[in-house]
Structures are given as C-alpha cells and as structure tokens.
Amino acid sequence: MSRWEFVGRRDELNRLLSTIGRPGGRGLLFSGDAGVGKSRLLREGVSELSPERYAIWSIAASATTAALPFGGLVQVLPATQPQGLSPAGILRWAVDVLQEQAAGRPIVLAIDDAHLLDPPSAALVHLVARSENATVIGTLRNGEQIPLPIRALWTDDLVELVELGPLGRSETTGLLAAILGGPVDAGSSDRLFQLCAGNPLLLRELVLAADDELRRTYGIWTWTGRLELAPSLTDLIDTRIGQLTPGVRAVVELVAFGEPLGLQLLERAVDPADVETAEERGLITLIHDDRRLNVRLAHPLYGEVMRRHCPVSRTRRLQATLAGLLEQVGTRRRDDLLRVAVWRLDSGTAQDVALLLDAAVQAFGRYDVPLATRLARAALEAGGGTDAAELLATILMFGDRPDEAISVLDQVAGEIHDDRRRSRWLTVRGMVSYWGLNRESTVEEIAARGEELRDPADRTRVRAFEAIMRLHRLDVDVAVRLAQEVLDRPAAPMAARELARCTLAHLQAAQGQYQRSATAIARVQAEAACWRADMPYLQLAMELARGTRLTLSGDLPGIDAIVADEFADLAGAGDFRLGTGYLAILQAYAARLRGRGDEALRTSLEACAVLATSRVYAGLAHAERAQAAALRGDVTHAADAMAEADRTHAPGMAVLYPWLEQARGAVQAATGDLPAATKHLCALADRLREDGLAGHELLVLLDLVRFDQAAAPVGPTCTDGGRRTVAQRLAELSEKVDGVLPPLVARFGRAAADGAPDALLAVADGFADRELTVYAAEATAMALHRTRNARAGATGPVRERLADLLRRCDEISTPALRRLRPTLSDREWEVARLAADGVTSRAIAERLFLSTRTVENHLQRVYSKLGVAGRGELRAALRSMPGHDGTEPD
C-alpha cells in the first residue's frame, strides 16, 4: 500500500511550525499512544522547513541503539570522537560540533521516540535545547520510561509537552477517502472508526486486512463488515495485550464475548482481584450506565483478537456461562433477553423456540437485520413454524433477499389453518412480492385473497397493506377508501391502523396538507410502543410520509432532526439499508437546497451505493444525485444519473414519479436546453394538478420561476380562452397549501413576472431565513439582472448580497446564476481580476506589457459587460458571479 496522505492534524502541524524559529520560543514534544500519528506529524513538520534557513537534524531513536553511548545521535555526530575527554567534555564537544555544522543557522533537532534515547544522547539533547539558537521537537510514547534529561525538558520549561489524541470521526473518514481514492459510505467509515478508535496505524492495518471485502459502487467504497485479521495486526494487538495469567485471561475473554458486561455479573464468574489487575493493565475499562457499572475492553480490537484466539470449545463454554449468569439474576433490561438468546445460540444450547423468536423480534425492532436473520432462522430450524417463517421472510425482504423470503413462506403454506396466520402470511408474502420482486399484480392478488378471510380484524390487516400498495401504485382513491375503512374499524389491530394512518399521512403531504400529515405522523409515533414488535418496518412507512412532508414544505431543520434521531443510528448500525438509504436521500436534499453541492452529491452517491441491491428507493436516490450534479454544473454526471434513475425505478413506486420528473427538468436545464426543460416542467405541473398532488406541483412551479418562466402558461384553458400563468397558479396554491413556503414562492413568482427588483430581494431574504440558500441566491441574481441598466452605483449593494449568499455555497451553477456570467476575453478577465485587487492601471500595464491606455480600454469594456460604474463595484461584481472568487468560471 502506498504512503497515506497526511489528513487532519492541521492545527497540531501549525502549532509545531509556529514553534520553530519563534524568538524566545520553546520546543515542542508530542506524546501519545503507539500508532496515533506522532511520527508522521513530526515528519510532515520537518518536511516543510527550508534547509537553507535551518540546520535540521532528524533522529529516529530505537531500542537497538538505546544501550550504546550516543547511539541515538549516530546519524548526527562524527563517526570518531576525541580521546581523553571526560563525559562532560564529550557533551561540550558534541554541542560545538552541531553549532559548527549549523554555520549560523538556527538549529532544529527533531527526535522521534525520544524515550528510547540512550543517557548520553538524552543529556546532549537537553544541552542543545538550552542553546539560544536551537529548537527541540519530537515525540514520546505514552506508558514508557522517559530518560531524566528528556523529562527535564518540560519541567525546566524548555519545551511544551502536548498530548496527541486519536483522530476524530471526520478525520478518520477523510483518511479513508484519501487512501482508497474515493469517499467511503457513512456506515462503513463509522464501523472502521469504531474498530480503530481513531488510531491511524490500526486503521491502516484494518484496511489492509479488509482489502478483499471493500467494494466500490457508484464511486462509493463500502465494507461488507467481514474481517480477516492480518498477522501484522494480530501481532500488534498481541503485543499490547501482553502475557496474561489464567485469571486475567478469563476476565478478558468473558468481557470479549459479553461486553458490555455488568461488573457485578462479571465478579460472579471470576476473582474480583483479577478484574482489578485487568483494569490496572489497561485491558478493560469501567463505564457507568445509569445505575449499572459496565465493563468493556479498553480497545475494540482486543475483543477481535481474543475471540479469534479462543478455542471453539472454550468459546462455547464461555457463552453458555454468560447466558446462565444472566438468567440467574434475571433479564431485567431491554437488551438482556436478546443477549441471552445470542449466547445460547452461539454456544449450541438454544432450545427455547420462544426465546429465539422474541429475540429475533427485538433485534428486528432495533433494525439489526443480520442478527435478526440469524435468530429467526434458528427459530425456524428449531420448530418455530409459521410464526418463525413469517418473521424470517420479513427480515429477508429488508435484507434484499426477496427470492429466499418467498421460498421460506411457500415452505410453510400448508401449515396455515386459521385466519390470523393466513392474514399475516398474506401480508408478508404480498410485501415481498410487491416491493421485493416488483410484481404489480400482487395488489389484486392480495385483495382477492383478503376477501376470503372471515374475521374482520384479520381482513383489516390485509386491507391496510393493500392501501399502502395502492398508494405506491397511485391508485389514490382506492388507497384512501381502504385506509379509512381500516381506521373506522375499532377491532382493527393497532399495527394495521397505524399503517393505514401512514398511508393517509403520505398522501396528505403530497397534497400539501402538511398540518394534517404532521398530526397523523405524530399519532403514529406516539403509538410506536404498541406496533413496533408486531410491525417494526412500519417505521419506514412513517419516515417516508414524514420525509415527504418535510421536503415539500422546505423544512430543512426538520430533515436535520430525523437524520440525526435514534432510527438513523439504529438503521446504520444494523445494516437496515432501506432506512439508511432513504435518510441519505433526505440529507442530500437538504444539503442541495443549502447550496452545499459537494455534500449533496457525495451523500446522494452514498444513498445510491447503499440501495444498489434494492429497487424500492434506488430510482429516487439517482434522481437526487442527478439534481446534485446539475446544481454543480456537472452535465455529464447529471445525465448519467438520470439514466440510472430511469433504469432502477420500480414501476410499483409510481408515487415517486414527481421527484424523478422534476430531476429530469433540472438535468435538461443544466444542459442549457431551457425550452425543453420549461416544456417538460409545465407538462409535469399539469399532470400533478390532475393528480391532486399540490405539494409537488408547488415545487415544480417554483422551478419554472427559477428558470425565469413565471409568465409561462400552465393548467387548463379558462372560460376566457386563456390559461393561468405560473405566477397566477402559484397565487392560487398559496391559498391551498399549508405552511410559510407557499406564500413566499407565490411572491417570488409575482415579483419575477413583474420584474420588481425590490420585491425579489425581499423574497431572497425570506428564502435565506429558511436556509434555502440556492433559492435566495437565484432571487438575488434575478434582481441584479433586472437592475443592470440602472444608474451607476445602484447595483453594488445587490452584488454584495449575492456574493455573501454564494460564499455560503459550494461552486454552483443554475440558469439564474449563469445569466450573470459575462462574455469576457482572457485578457479582460486578467485585467479585471488585477483591478479588483486594487492594482493601478499603470501597474497592470507594466505587469502585462501593455500601454496604460489599452488597460483602460479593457476596463471600460469590462464595466460595460458587467453593468458596473467603475473599480468601486468591480470586486463585488466578480465575487457575485458563478465561482464567486473572482476567477474565471470553467
């Protein structure tokens, strides 16, 4: 593997560099654990120093030279030393040699692993540090014996001692992206961060070990989670763990298989003195969790190595012991039952089918798909019958294995003899067939089979599923009727009622009835404890309804909140890809409207990678990727993403068509074909009006205003023979659609149609207040475009406002912003940038080998093209254009 790029540590590096050469300054030593990046930081700092300015000596102390006098400085001192000198004389001679070689330059002595210096070398370093023209920098490893002269460096105030901690989560993600040559999906980077605990050396070894399990999809690296520990990594961890007595080994092994393990529980199985020893040696750590004191291993990889080294027979015995201990004290906490079931399963002592089923339900309720699959399969194999088959098939569906799920269900079809089991079997099979296998005919099949059920409560369960399927197929009237029938049945199971409520909440959001949708979603959320065990995947239906409401209403803080809540954490940790994929789409959407095009593209690519094996939301993910690429002006990427959206979009997800078709209009506009984009979006707005999806229609009409098409005709022909304009239709929708966004968008349409700069600027302020930075920038750009022929000096404040908005964004390119891009020659750009920086015309002429008159002529043409009065407005004018840094756009 090639040398890793230096990522993070910029503050520490700057601190190191500022130390060197500072008058009266002290040196600097970094201390930290092995592999935390001390040596690399020191090398980076030394590499940025000029040998002409400084006399630089880099020393790498080692255990092989620690026993040799001046062995640590063998790279610095002459090979032969004067004879007959006392030890003090030798030290003075060595200092004189270094000063002579420095030839008047300041000395920089960089010592890696200074704790390994031999005593004479350590004494010499201390003497050098006392020299007025010398700076000592270096590294120390925590937990090592430090030579007294080195320790005296900071006790005598000659150097600063700084603890270098592990990399943070974002720095670790950046390091992974640098070495792999591309971004890593959030779940994979989080798991690797947890394993390496921010240690770059351990991260390197983990990536080497996981090389065969790293996959690249849509440019995003994903780790399968399987890990074969390389010998080098195992040796490294073994060295850290060291030799263990049988008692301490028992402690570490029990914690490795059971963490987090209650201290009281652990001390039932081992000698408390061995627990104390393990803690003193830094092998385990104690953490308070509410009223329980839990024990964990000090580093996640300790557990990986201990579990790999443990013989199978002892592994099974330890797991059975843990299960027995917890059963003795009682499974009082929420996770206790799940932990006992896993230990029983892994130890080969799992004989209680009910325990396995309950644990599988609990694991799936936490969206831990791999663990839930194991437990449900074990329950089925142990004789769990149709209940186990139904649960396993459901989990397999959400693990992107629909064919296997159908096979499991069909195997138990002959065992179903009552309506309750038949209704559950029908709904699970319908779910797998419709969403997993994309069979639209499933809707009619499940409707017909549901009518055969005699019990009204069982029929409502089937009808609730039929309702949400019909919504996704856009059989809206039937979906509403069925969902309302379920809600009107007092005997309907709670899960069926809340699924029906989610169906209505989703439709209400699409129709712009945000208040009703929010109320329904809040009610579903309030009943979560009642439906989660029966139907944990209902969470996804709720999130889709909630996400639709938040995106259509422009509630970006609301999106931030659901992306950061418990469901997001559980879905990511448990490999619940539909959940993590959908939340990533929402996150990309919010980033895009804030103008963070790079983040939007990266996050949407992550969504595409996560959803690559499922077609439920894959088309939506690629549509959002197309939007992000179009915002950045990456036409080729946008077109490719749109083609992939069309390829992966499932016909049974017709409810998502507004998002795909809106993205298609954005891609057309990005290519420069505004007439095609306008025609497409006008037709889309008409279709949405016919379908009654006013929330979506509002956003499509907003796009038309952004394309400066507020006067375009939309909708049916009126009695007067004409059609409503986009601006007029927006005014109508502002009375029908909930929230503060519709009136703001209507004002935008009216101001754009009237060509009113002041009104456009007021609208821009409204968008900015809601963090809709892209819309705010476009409204400001439209105001600027309409004032370009105003009196001299009138556009300056508007340009400053636009420049401020663009500074909050990555580089973005939209039709409204591109209209401000002038056609300047290369020479005009060159002259304009220099003039904007305050360079005089005479100085520009001298620098570019032109006459002053020629420079002035160029500037006059620039002023005319930009619509500015002179130099006073030039800088703001350049900053207010795409690229917003005064450089020529690509």
Side-chain angles (χ1 to χ4, degrees):
M1 184 176 292
S2 60
R3 188 168 182 255
W4 284 32
E5 182 180 336
F6 184 71
V7 174
R9 308 290 195 202
R10 178 53 54 182
D11 290 341
E12 293 89 343
L13 181 60
N14 290 337
R15 184 171 183 175
L16 179 64
L17 294 174
S18 66
T19 296
I20 298 168
R22 185 171 56 196
R26 298 180 294 167
L28 184 64
L29 292 179
F30 287 110
S31 65
D33 295 332
V36 79
K38 306 180 300 297
S39 299
R40 181 62 187 276
L41 176 60
L42 183 65
R43 289 198 301 272
E44 289 294 325
V46 170
S47 69
E48 294 198 19
L49 300 178
S50 168
E52 285 111 17
R53 182 177 177 186
Y54 298 103
I56 306 165
W57 285 285
S58 294
I59 300 162
S62 68
T64 58
T65 61
L68 301 174
F70 291 111
L73 298 181
V74 68
Q75 306 110 307
V76 174
L77 297 176
T80 59
Q81 300 176 9
Q83 299 297 316
L85 292 178
S86 66
I90 290 291
L91 289 175
R92 284 194 297 271
W93 165 80
V95 171
D96 291 341
V97 167
L98 294 179
Q99 291 289 357
E100 182 180 345
Q101 292 177 350
R105 294 170 297 170
I107 293 174
V108 176
L109 196 57
I111 312 152
D112 194 17
D113 288 336
H115 56 279
L116 293 175
L117 286 174
D118 59 280
S121 295
L124 177 56
V125 169
H126 189 90
L127 280 177
V128 172
R130 289 187 172 279
S131 302
E132 291 185 359
N133 68 330
T135 303
V136 172
I137 57 177
T139 69
L140 298 166
R141 183 181 298 174
N142 286 346
E144 299 289 343
Q145 187 69 32
I146 309 296
L148 288 177
I150 299 301
R151 184 179 298 277
L153 287 175
W154 62 86
T155 59
D156 291 351
D157 206 30
L158 298 174
V159 302
E160 293 181 81
L161 182 64
V162 176
E163 177 75 17
L164 192 65
L167 292 175
R169 191 180 303 271
S170 61
E171 292 172 322
T172 302
T173 300
L175 184 56
L176 277 169
I179 191 58
L180 292 173
V184 183
D185 86 275
S188 298
S189 63
D190 186 65
R191 288 194 292 272
L192 286 166
F193 171 73
Q194 294 293 340
L195 279 174
C196 75
N199 186 294
L201 176 61
L202 293 180
L203 180 64
R204 176 187 177 88
E205 295 297 333
L206 283 169
V207 172
L208 284 170
D211 184 57
D212 293 337
E213 300 300 332
L214 287 165
R215 304 282 186 269
R216 196 170 193 176
T217 308
Y218 298 112
I220 302 294
W221 287 98
T222 303
W223 179 40
T224 64
R226 292 187 292 271
L227 182 66
E228 291 295 331
L229 294 182
S232 57
L233 182 56
T234 303
D235 291 344
L236 183 63
I237 300 302
D238 280 341
T239 301
R240 290 193 177 193
I241 293 174
Q243 296 296 317
L244 302 178
T245 65
V248 173
R249 177 173 292 277
V251 171
V252 176
E253 286 179 342
L254 278 170
V255 177
F257 287 103
E259 65 177 332
L261 202 57
L263 178 61
Q264 291 183 342
L265 196 67
L266 178 61
E267 290 182 339
R268 283 173 170 262
V270 297
D271 187 341
D274 290 324
V275 177
E276 293 176 13
T277 302
E279 185 183 7
E280 288 173 356
R281 291 188 51 181
L283 299 173
I284 61 173
T285 183
L286 274 59
I287 302 171
H288 283 278
D289 180 15
D290 198 7
R291 290 178 295 175
R292 181 184 289 184
L293 192 58
N294 282 335
V295 183
R296 284 187 175 275
L297 292 176
H299 196 286
L301 286 177
Y302 291 177
E304 292 286 338
V305 171
M306 294 302 295
R307 289 188 289 269
R308 300 292 175 93
H309 285 349
C310 193
V312 174
S313 57
R314 187 157 76 238
T315 294
R316 291 164 68 91
R317 176 175 58 80
L318 288 168
Q319 291 166 332
T321 298
L322 288 165
L325 285 169
L326 193 51
E327 286 169 337
Q328 288 174 19
V329 301
T331 53
R332 292 170 293 184
R333 291 202 172 193
R334 184 179 63 176
D335 293 343
D336 286 349
L337 180 143
L338 182 59
R339 287 152 63 81
V340 168
V342 172
W343 287 329
R344 288 295 181 200
L345 180 61
D346 290 343
S347 66
T349 59
Q351 299 175 350
D352 187 343
V353 173
L355 172 66
L356 292 170
L357 270 176
D358 289 345
V361 169
Q362 190 176 111
F364 192 37
R366 295 170 53 181
Y367 309 104
D368 190 337
V369 173
L371 178 58
T373 302
R374 284 187 60 216
L375 291 164
R377 195 184 301 281
L380 181 63
E381 293 171 353
T386 56
D387 288 343
E390 173 210 327
L391 179 59
L392 176 59
T394 302
I395 299 166
L396 289 170
M397 157 66 192
F398 287 94
D400 296 332
R401 296 153 73 178
D403 292 309
E404 187 179 352
I406 289 290
S407 177
V408 167
L409 289 167
D410 290 346
Q411 287 173 16
V412 298
E415 302 175 22
I416 300 173
H417 305 297
D418 60 74
D419 277 3
R420 187 192 71 83
R421 293 182 184 275
R422 185 169 289 106
S423 69
R424 298 181 70 89
W425 185 90
L426 271 175
T427 53
V428 173
R429 200 179 193 287
M431 176 176 63
V432 176
S433 178
Y434 186 82
W435 283 290
L437 300 177
N438 298 301
R439 295 174 181 167
E440 291 187 81
S441 60
T442 302
V443 180
E444 283 73 29
E445 293 169 8
I446 194 175
R449 299 285 297 275
E451 290 301 318
E452 299 171 4
L453 301 173
R454 291 165 294 180
D455 188 285
D458 295 327
R459 281 201 302 272
T460 57
R461 185 180 183 91
V462 176
R463 283 176 177 167
F465 269 88
E466 182 190 350
I468 196 166
M469 290 178 188
R470 289 194 179 276
L471 171 66
H472 282 78
R473 206 173 69 170
L474 275 186
D475 297 339
V476 174
D477 292 339
V478 179
V480 171
R481 176 176 59 79
L482 289 170
Q484 198 58 57
E485 284 180 10
V486 172
L487 291 174
D488 290 342
R489 291 270 184 184
M494 176 64 74
R497 293 175 60 82
E498 300 314 313
L499 181 61
R501 206 180 308 279
C502 284
T503 299
L504 295 176
H506 185 171
L507 181 60
Q508 288 160 353
Q511 293 172 336
Q513 301 176 49
Y514 304 135
Q515 290 297 330
R516 292 183 64 191
S517 179
T519 300
I521 293 167
R523 185 163 180 180
V524 175
Q525 183 69 52
E527 301 290 351
C530 300
W531 54 254
R532 194 176 299 283
D534 181 17
M535 201 181 288
Y537 45 84
L538 196 154
Q539 178 88 33
L540 198 57
M542 184 181 73
E543 297 299 345
L544 182 59
R546 182 158 55 172
T548 301
R549 177 180 64 83
L550 294 171
T551 50
L552 292 180
S553 65
D555 187 353
L556 304 192
I559 293 176
D560 295 343
I562 66 169
V563 167
D565 72 4
E566 183 185 29
F567 171 62
D569 292 337
L570 292 174
D575 200 27
F576 186 53
R577 298 181 185 178
L578 285 179
T580 54
Y582 181 67
L583 292 177
I585 294 169
L586 294 183
Q587 189 176 358
Y589 180 90
R592 173 166 59 86
L593 295 195
R594 286 179 169 123
R596 301 171 188 165
D598 296 343
E599 178 187 343
L601 184 59
R602 182 181 66 254
T603 309
S604 60
L605 278 167
E606 287 186 18
C608 294
V610 168
L611 297 168
T613 56
S614 170
R615 296 188 66 183
V616 177
Y617 297 134
L620 182 62
H622 287 291
E624 184 54 45
R625 176 163 69 100
Q627 287 270 25
L631 178 67
R632 298 169 77 249
D634 190 342
V635 176
T636 302
H637 192 153
D640 290 345
M642 197 65 239
E644 196 69 358
D646 290 334
R647 186 186 71 80
T648 58
H649 180 57
M653 296 298 291
V655 71
L656 300 179
Y657 87 83
W659 300 112
L660 270 72
E661 296 308 319
Q662 191 176 1
R664 196 181 314 282
V667 173
Q668 291 171 333
T671 65
D673 194 351
L674 274 178
T678 300
K679 181 179 179 181
H680 173 76
L681 291 179
C682 285
L684 176 58
D686 291 346
R687 179 182 174 185
L688 291 167
R689 180 173 184 161
E690 292 174 4
D691 289 342
L693 304 181
H696 283 289
E697 184 189 355
L698 183 95
L699 292 192
V700 171
L701 295 174
L702 169 60
D703 280 353
L704 285 166
V705 176
R706 294 169 58 215
F707 297 165
D708 209 10
Q709 300 296 318
V714 289
T717 302
C718 301
T719 54
D720 60 3
R723 299 171 68 193
R724 293 282 187 271
T725 65
V726 169
Q728 290 169 333
R729 177 56 180 164
L730 281 172
E732 293 175 355
L733 288 176
S734 69
E735 301 294 329
K736 300 178 180 178
V737 179
D738 297 340
V740 298
L741 184 63
L744 182 59
V745 172
R747 287 167 51 202
F748 189 17
R750 185 167 60 252
D754 295 342
D758 290 341
L760 285 167
L761 291 175
V763 166
D765 289 340
F767 283 136
D769 290 342
R770 295 186 60 79
E771 302 182 52
L772 301 169
T773 313
V774 171
Y775 299 160
E778 290 175 324
T780 306
M782 293 173 71
L784 180 59
H785 191 267
R786 284 159 171 75
T787 59
R788 294 186 73 169
N789 296 323
R791 61 180 177 78
T795 62
V798 182
R799 291 187 183 279
E800 288 291 351
R801 292 174 66 171
L802 179 56
D804 178 66
L805 288 166
L806 291 175
R807 275 196 298 271
R808 306 177 200 176
C809 306
D810 301 327
E811 186 166 346
I812 60 176
S813 178
T814 71
L817 296 174
R818 285 196 294 271
R819 290 185 70 184
L820 297 178
R821 181 179 295 175
T823 306
L824 299 182
S825 67
D826 292 343
R827 179 63 80 187
E828 288 169 345
W829 272 110
E830 198 170 15
V831 170
R833 285 195 295 270
L834 291 170
D837 287 338
V839 183
T840 65
S841 295
R842 176 177 293 181
I844 294 173
E846 292 174 355
R847 184 178 302 185
L848 301 182
F849 303 103
L850 301 172
S851 69
T852 303
R853 183 182 183 85
T854 300
V855 169
E856 290 293 339
N857 288 338
H858 281 311
L859 284 174
Q860 290 303 317
R861 286 193 293 272
V862 168
Y863 299 156
S864 177
K865 291 178 180 181
L866 296 182
V868 301
R871 283 176 179 261
E873 298 180 18
L874 186 55
R875 186 174 183 81
L878 295 181
R879 287 168 50 232
S880 66
M881 290 187 297
H884 60 85
D885 59 355
T887 60
E888 182 177 2
D890 295 331

